[in-house]
Amino acid sequence: MRSLRILATDEEGTLQRTIFEFSRRNIPIGRLMYSHEKDSVTMHIGVERDEDVNRVLKHLNRIYGVRDVSILENEEVREKW
């Protein structure tokens, strides 16, 4: 499983638009972790297949409010949470 780390502003609708990009492409979300800090949010979304990560990556960067999207290995996610 690969994880995407998405850093975004704390604006209403950013999480919903992010999840919509996955459902729009029929990509199942294996895990979703969300944390809130002052004026920003961090989302970790686990995806089963590497090709699914590549299919959704460029679309996540286009969402209003998303600052950065990066791909993490599972070990990196466990260390941070």
Side-chain angles (χ1 to χ4, degrees):
M1 178 180 288
R2 301 280 288 225
S3 291
L4 293 169
R5 183 182 67 198
I6 302 162
L7 303 174
T9 59
D10 183 23
E11 294 186 29
E12 190 173 328
T14 303
L15 177 61
Q16 291 86 348
R17 288 189 300 271
T18 301
I19 292 172
F20 176 72
E21 288 300 326
F22 286 88
S23 66
R24 182 177 181 192
R25 288 163 182 76
N26 294 321
I27 299 172
I29 294 175
R31 174 181 47 223
L32 173 64
M33 293 183 278
Y34 177 89
S35 67
H36 181 266
E37 300 170 10
K38 293 187 182 181
D39 64 340
S40 67
V41 295
T42 303
M43 295 173 266
H44 289 267
I45 299 177
V47 180
E48 292 294 326
R49 300 181 328 168
D50 290 342
E51 50 275 3
D52 288 340
V53 170
N54 295 328
R55 282 181 36 215
V56 76
L57 190 62
K58 69 178 178 180
H59 300 286
L60 294 175
N61 282 312
R62 295 179 183 163
I63 295 173
Y64 179 78
V66 171
R67 295 178 183 159
D68 182 54
V69 180
S70 57
I71 301 171
L72 302 176
E73 297 299 326
N74 280 336
E75 294 77 29
E76 293 178 67
V77 174
R78 286 189 195 113
E79 289 173 5
K80 294 178 189 280
W81 295 85

